[in-house]
Amino acid sequence: MFDLILLISLLLISFAILVALYRVYKGPSMPDRIIALDSIGINLIALIAVFSIYMRSTAYLEAILLLGILAFIGTIAFSKFIERGVAIERKHD
Amino acid sequence: MSWVHLMIVLPLLFAVLIPLLYKAFPRIHTGWFVLVVPVVIFGYLATYLPMLANGETALYEIPWIPYLDINFTVFVDGLGLIFALIISGIGALVIIYSIYYLSKAREALHNFYVYLMMFMGAMLGVVLSDNMIVLYLFWELTSISSFLLIAYWYQRKQSRFGAQKAMLITVLGGFAMLASIIMIHNITGTFSIREVIAQSDLLVQHDLFLPAMLLLLLGAFTKSAQFPFHIWLPDAMEAPTPISAYLHSATMVKAGIYLVARFTPAFGGTPEWFWIVTFVGLFTLIWGSLNAVKQRDLKGLLAFSTISQLGLIMSLLGMGSAALYFNPGDQGVQLHAYAVLAAVFHLINHSTFKGSLFMVVGIVDHETGTRDMRKLGGLMTIMPVSFTLAVIGSLSMAGLPPFNGFISKEMFFTGTLNAANLDIFNMATYGAIIPIVAWVASVFTFIYSIILVYRTFLGKYQPERLEKKAHEAPLGMLIPPSILGFLVLAIFFFPNVIGDYALKPMVASIIPSAAGVFDDYTISWWHGFVPELFMTMAVVALGLILFATLNRWIGLYNHMPQWMHLNNWFKHGLSGMERGSHKVIDWHMTGYIRDYLMYIFITIILIVGGSYFMLNDFTLYTDNLASINLFEIVLALVLLGSTVLVMATRSRLTAVVSVGVLGYVVALFFIILRAPDLALTQLAIETVSVALYLLCFYHLPKLKGRGEEEGEKFKVGNFIIALGIGSLVTLLALSVNGYNLFEPISTYYGDSYDLAGAANMVNAILADFRAFDTFLEIFVVAIAALGVYALVRLRLEKRGGTDESQ
């Protein structure tokens, strides 16, 4: 019963990813895509978390942490790129 | 190790010293030092003559590469020794001649004598080697040294052209010969010529007999300038005259003759050998004599004359090979071995008179500044000695008494008449052609011999057309041709001296069953009123008539159709091959990576897929498959969707993002398949690489006329190839999945905690069990990082100016 619930939630998260993917594809503007990517990243975290419960394993917790950091950094970098044109600014001489 | 071995390598060893002598004694002509070598060789080898006359042979062996059956074996028998004596004897005369011919001040003498010694050593090696591989080694060395000697005056374009042509043709033949040697080795299991001859029966019955024979003959015919490979010889006349006299009349062009003679006991007695050697020889004979008549350059005339005479010797060897068909003791053996006797006799005679004629022509060239017969004439009273020598040589070449050419020409006619009556090999039908062709060729030989003397020494003296004031040559230059001229006469009057000591051992080498049959035979210049004598008389009569009316029919040569000029074939063949290969390269080496990738993928499909389907190895095991979860299907669908998106999207940005999605889904698959370390790494790497793609994307230039939102056009060919590769790899993966030949070794690593003290098995493998791989992967990353740094930082000076300031 517990496994079934986990599977259903996995499925739901997967469909959420698919929906977000459609937004990535459709756009229409760049921020739309970035927000969609960010939500895909968060959904992936949820997916891995549910999956690790399903597998009864703690080996995936590092992946969750890493994904959280990456999604955050990625979104920040993208946003900065859209706002200023570069992701990493050079030092001013 | 024997003295004969030393004699072969002596010229090669001495060649090392020549440049030192040239530097150390600038006042003395280097040739005087070099002269010692052939004299010593000749003197030593001559001591073997009495032994040979008794019918004995000698064999000396030095192991070289014994486990490959390659040994430096020297076999001294009649054939080899007489050739070696001709090589060293005429070599000595040519060196004397060259001392006076080549100026000490103007010429690079050390080069000349080094090449000449190389050639002499190589040639001695060819004729004395018993091992076929060693024979081939020396054979190629003669080609190379001949190449160097032809292009001695390398500043001239014609010399380089002639050298290149000679090299291409003779090396082609050399390679063919090597192939033949390997075939013979496969059949008989030995590289020793004597042992091959002993297994002659095995050889001629083997399937490889015909290809081995044809390739061997290709080698011999290219070297000996037989039709249609004779075209290099006239162009080789750009060499200095001593070289023409030595290489291109007396020695190197006879290497092919030697090869045919040497292998006659192995291949002879078969119809193929008989027909090919005889008819190629006869055709070369008549072709060379016809072409010699129209030459205006003296050396050109002598070159075609050499071709013609080589054809004569070759055809005699072919006719003589019929003797091997008969059992020892038969009447036929002596009858047909007579042709071989004539061949070796003419071989010696040709070396004497042709060497002398070349030297005389060299003298004329040297003292008048031209070799063009249209400018020459009337030199008889100015150069009486040269004139006398030219008459001796020419009349010997024409086959008149009292010169040695007469005897061998008579024997040639006898040989052809014997061959015409041969009742084997279907000769009864076509045999009559042989004497007729031989006779016609002799008429033309007579004509060009007369032309040579008449145009050069008789007629009107035209001093205004000559570059120098003509005068007689110095004594030293006249001595070598005089010695040869003396030999021409001496052989005529005492033919049996040379017959006993040289010819009979040579015949015994070429036709072993004929050893001894000529013991009672004496060569005489008068043998009664026989058909041969009348043939010679008719040659002289018709030759004189044709010579008298030369101006009326010489114009016929201008009507020779263009395709009969074989030089054009060579020239067009060469340029056609160049153009053809240019076209092939231009066609497939387009410079576009997309084309090369296409070749690679098509090759993979054809080879891997082809063998896969030909072996019919497609298997699908369903026993060991795991069950599929619903979320795995969903993930696979996402994977598929983003893959299609990468291909179908018209925007680069969408493609980059889709690749990112792909990577993340792969990471999810790693999680599902229980590989947390892989998933971690995959996530991080995917993020970094997507960021790098975006970096590249941002810096892409704006394309003219194409918006960046425009994708690639659909191409059917690419689609098919992609589909082919994809389905091939899928099918392979499915098939491989079914095979589980051995138990996996992963159970061993399962104990990683006990073995390495590590709870994480993947990391234990990476850093402990298989740490070497990790070490080198680190190396790869380090190189990549340094490479990127170097690419970004190091700019060329010119372009870097603006970049540095940013």
Side-chain angles (χ1 to χ4, degrees):
Chain A
M1 185 65 197
F2 184 62
D3 277 1
L4 190 66
I5 292 169
L6 287 176
L7 279 177
I8 290 168
S9 58
L10 274 177
L11 263 181
L12 289 176
I13 296 168
S14 303
F15 283 120
I17 291 175
L18 273 180
V19 169
L21 206 60
Y22 173 74
R23 189 40 60 191
V24 172
Y25 170 65
K26 191 71 186 170
S29 72
M30 193 57 72
D32 286 327
R33 291 198 173 98
I34 291 166
I35 294 293
L37 276 178
D38 195 41
S39 70
I40 288 176
I42 304 301
N43 272 317
L44 282 177
I45 292 173
L47 193 80
I48 296 170
V50 174
F51 189 76
S52 67
I53 299 168
Y54 179 71
M55 302 289 278
R56 279 143 181 96
S57 162
T58 56
Y60 302 113
L61 300 183
E62 289 100 328
I64 292 171
L65 287 175
L66 183 77
L67 209 50
I69 296 166
L70 285 179
F72 175 70
I73 292 175
T75 310
I76 294 289
F78 260 122
S79 310
K80 199 170 172 190
F81 179 75
I82 289 170
E83 195 187 58
R84 302 198 180 160
V86 287
I88 302 168
E89 287 173 67
R90 285 169 193 278
K91 271 183 257 172
H92 295 288
D93 295 321
Chain B
M1 186 72 193
S2 71
W3 283 103
V4 185
H5 282 107
L6 190 69
M7 291 301 140
I8 293 174
V9 293
L10 181 67
L12 302 175
L13 295 177
F14 196 79
V16 179
L17 291 179
I18 288 170
L20 301 176
L21 292 170
Y22 178 74
K23 290 276 181 220
F25 303 99
R27 290 163 159 275
I28 307 168
H29 197 287
T30 317
W32 290 116
F33 302 111
V34 181
L35 183 60
V36 179
V37 176
V39 169
V40 167
I41 296 172
F42 186 87
Y44 177 75
L45 290 180
T47 60
Y48 278 87
L49 280 173
M51 186 194 88
L52 288 177
N54 292 333
E56 294 164 28
T57 56
L59 183 79
Y60 307 100
E61 184 166 327
I62 299 179
W64 181 21
I65 314 175
Y67 70 97
L68 290 179
D69 189 24
I70 296 171
N71 297 306
F72 188 9
T73 313
V74 165
F75 183 54
V76 185
D77 69 340
L79 186 63
L81 189 79
I82 300 304
F83 263 97
L85 286 174
I86 293 174
I87 290 158
S88 51
I90 296 188
L93 296 178
V94 159
I95 288 170
I96 300 174
Y97 181 76
S98 69
I99 291 170
Y100 291 92
Y101 187 85
L102 292 173
S103 153
K104 194 171 58 176
R106 287 196 304 271
E107 306 285 1
L109 289 176
H110 50 315
N111 292 350
F112 182 83
Y113 288 110
V114 167
Y115 301 159
L116 194 68
M117 284 295 107
M118 255 170 80
F119 173 79
M120 190 182 284
M123 202 62 211
L124 287 170
V126 165
V127 297
L128 289 173
S129 290
D130 179 58
N131 192 291
M132 289 189 285
I133 293 291
V134 178
L135 174 82
Y136 172 74
L137 178 87
F138 284 120
W139 184 276
E140 290 296 354
L141 196 56
T142 63
S143 291
I144 292 165
S145 49
S146 164
F147 168 80
L148 292 169
L149 283 165
I150 294 169
Y152 177 63
W153 289 310
Y154 54 83
Q155 307 87 341
R156 300 183 189 171
K157 191 172 175 238
Q158 277 301 314
S159 298
R160 299 196 301 269
F161 174 74
Q164 186 204 38
K165 193 173 181 181
M167 183 78 164
L168 285 174
I169 293 177
T170 53
V171 168
L172 167 84
F175 280 142
M177 198 180 112
L178 180 63
S180 167
I181 288 171
I182 292 165
M183 285 183 195
I184 294 172
H185 181 76
N186 271 350
I187 300 169
T188 61
T190 176
F191 280 126
S192 162
I193 296 173
R194 286 171 313 111
E195 286 168 33
V196 168
I197 289 168
Q199 302 183 45
S200 169
D201 293 338
L202 180 75
L203 190 65
V204 296
Q205 281 159 13
H206 199 274
D207 290 340
L208 281 175
F209 160 66
L210 203 59
M213 188 193 85
L214 288 175
L215 289 171
L216 189 82
L217 284 178
L218 188 65
F221 288 167
T222 50
K223 200 78 163 180
S224 276
Q226 299 293 299
F227 187 88
F229 307 110
H230 65 272
I231 50 173
W232 66 268
L233 188 61
D235 282 309
M237 291 300 131
E238 294 298 326
T241 303
I243 295 313
S244 305
Y246 187 43
L247 271 69
H248 307 128
S249 74
T251 55
M252 189 179 92
V253 288
K254 296 213 170 80
I257 303 273
Y258 167 79
L259 195 73
V260 169
R262 180 55 90 197
F263 279 92
T264 295
F267 290 101
T270 56
E272 294 90 347
W273 179 269
F274 175 84
W275 283 100
I276 295 172
V277 177
T278 307
F279 273 79
V280 168
L282 278 176
F283 199 83
T284 311
L285 165 65
I286 192 152
W287 185 264
S289 62
L290 283 173
N291 275 292
V293 174
K294 70 166 181 178
Q295 299 299 319
R296 299 200 170 101
D297 174 63
L298 283 170
K299 279 175 92 175
L301 186 148
L302 287 180
F304 275 104
S305 145
T306 303
I307 291 167
S308 164
Q309 306 275 317
L310 291 168
L312 188 157
I313 299 168
M314 194 66 91
S315 69
L316 278 171
L317 283 174
M319 292 178 221
S321 74
L324 287 164
Y325 179 82
F326 299 98
N327 292 320
D330 270 7
Q331 184 66 24
V333 173
Q334 185 178 3
L335 195 63
H336 297 293
Y338 191 77
V340 173
L341 188 70
V344 292
F345 194 24
H346 195 70
L347 186 136
I348 294 172
N349 292 345
H350 178 251
S351 299
T352 56
F353 67 70
K354 192 53 67 67
S356 131
L357 278 176
F358 263 109
M359 290 177 188
V360 169
V361 163
I363 290 170
V364 169
D365 186 16
H366 203 260
E367 307 306 337
T368 64
T370 183
R371 300 193 311 247
D372 192 332
M373 279 188 274
R374 286 167 299 185
K375 295 181 184 169
L376 293 166
L379 297 174
M380 184 173 79
T381 48
I382 301 164
M383 305 168 75
V385 184
S386 309
F387 170 69
T388 313
L389 292 169
V391 168
I392 293 173
S394 297
L395 294 186
S396 177
M397 183 159 75
L400 294 184
F403 307 107
N404 60 6
F406 172 72
I407 306 179
S408 47
K409 186 63 73 76
E410 295 290 283
M411 291 167 79
F412 168 56
F413 283 149
T414 314
T416 57
L417 290 172
N418 287 346
N421 296 324
L422 194 63
D423 52 0
I424 52 168
F425 310 147
N426 290 328
M427 273 300 287
T429 331
Y430 308 107
I433 303 170
I434 296 181
I436 295 170
V437 170
W439 186 79
V440 173
S442 296
V443 172
F444 280 92
T445 307
F446 183 84
I447 295 170
Y448 70 69
S449 304
I450 301 298
I451 288 176
L452 176 68
V453 176
Y454 191 86
R455 288 283 163 83
T456 314
F457 293 99
L458 301 174
K460 222 177 100 214
Y461 180 48
Q462 303 161 299
E464 71 282 355
R465 303 184 70 173
L466 298 179
E467 289 171 25
K468 300 177 187 170
K469 195 172 176 330
H471 55 83
E472 185 58 280
L475 186 65
M477 219 162 168
L478 288 169
I479 287 173
S482 303
I483 293 172
L484 289 171
F486 169 75
L487 278 175
V488 168
L489 282 165
I491 293 174
F492 176 78
F493 287 109
F494 305 101
N496 288 305
V497 177
I498 199 163
D500 289 338
Y501 281 99
L503 303 187
K504 287 170 188 174
M506 280 174 101
V507 173
S509 308
I510 301 171
I511 312 284
S513 59
V517 300
F518 290 114
D519 275 355
D520 303 326
Y521 181 79
T522 50
I523 303 163
S524 78
W525 53 271
W526 177 253
H527 34 70
F529 291 100
V530 286
E532 293 89 324
L533 189 66
F534 296 118
M535 282 169 85
T536 304
M537 286 171 159
V539 164
V540 174
L542 187 66
L544 283 176
I545 293 169
L546 282 175
F547 178 69
T549 57
L550 188 65
N551 288 332
R552 301 197 183 171
W553 56 271
I554 193 84
L556 284 176
Y557 280 110
N558 297 333
H559 297 293
M560 199 166 94
Q562 196 63 28
W563 59 266
M564 283 175 81
H565 292 270
L566 292 170
N567 272 324
N568 290 340
W569 288 54
F570 177 79
K571 228 181 261 175
H572 289 151
L574 209 59
S575 59
M577 269 157 69
E578 274 177 21
R579 258 182 290 128
S581 26
H582 269 300
K583 263 184 196 154
V584 171
I585 299 269
D586 287 347
W587 172 69
H588 81 279
M589 302 280 277
T590 54
Y592 293 113
I593 289 178
R594 58 167 183 258
D595 288 338
Y596 302 151
L597 283 177
M598 206 160 78
Y599 304 149
I600 292 169
F601 286 134
I602 290 174
T603 315
I604 290 173
I605 291 174
L606 288 181
I607 292 178
V608 179
S611 54
Y612 184 62
F613 281 104
M614 269 154 67
L615 296 171
N616 201 12
D617 261 357
F618 179 69
T619 48
L620 185 60
Y621 284 86
T622 48
D623 305 345
N624 55 354
L625 294 183
S627 57
I628 305 170
N629 285 323
L630 191 59
F631 54 85
E632 283 170 340
I633 296 173
V634 174
L635 272 182
L637 283 177
V638 175
L639 202 68
L640 205 64
S642 47
T643 311
V644 171
L645 197 59
V646 171
M647 294 188 291
T649 183
R650 306 184 74 78
S651 149
R652 285 168 178 163
L653 189 59
T654 315
V656 169
V657 174
S658 304
V659 167
V661 171
L662 264 177
Y664 273 53
V665 175
V666 169
L668 280 184
F669 267 110
F670 284 149
I671 286 172
I672 292 171
L673 299 172
R674 298 161 198 249
D677 295 297
L678 279 182
L680 276 178
T681 320
Q682 170 72 17
L683 284 171
I685 294 297
E686 195 59 36
T687 312
V688 172
S689 44
V690 168
L692 287 175
Y693 290 147
L694 286 172
L695 186 72
C696 299
F697 167 76
Y698 177 69
H699 287 288
L700 281 177
K702 295 273 182 286
L703 288 177
K704 208 176 181 183
R706 280 182 75 184
E708 64 184 45
E709 295 297 309
E710 194 168 343
E712 274 303 314
K713 288 193 184 65
F714 181 76
K715 292 197 185 76
V716 182
N718 291 356
F719 177 71
I720 291 169
I721 291 170
L723 210 62
I725 285 285
S727 40
L728 180 67
V729 172
T730 310
L731 285 175
L732 275 179
L734 286 176
S735 296
V736 167
N737 195 33
Y739 288 98
N740 209 348
L741 299 177
F742 307 103
E743 200 170 326
I745 57 165
S746 53
T747 46
Y748 172 77
Y749 297 120
D751 302 330
S752 62
Y753 191 80
D754 294 333
L755 292 166
N760 188 326
M761 188 168 88
V762 175
N763 291 352
I765 291 172
L766 284 178
D768 196 323
F769 296 115
R770 312 277 312 259
F772 267 125
D773 295 349
T774 314
F775 175 67
L776 292 176
E777 299 278 354
I778 292 166
F779 199 55
V780 168
V781 174
I783 288 174
L786 286 173
V788 169
Y789 180 78
L791 282 173
V792 172
R793 288 297 295 186
L794 300 177
R795 302 282 173 96
L796 288 176
E797 197 64 33
K798 280 177 192 166
R799 292 163 59 196
T802 50
D803 291 337
E804 279 303 304
S805 60
Q806 280 181 358

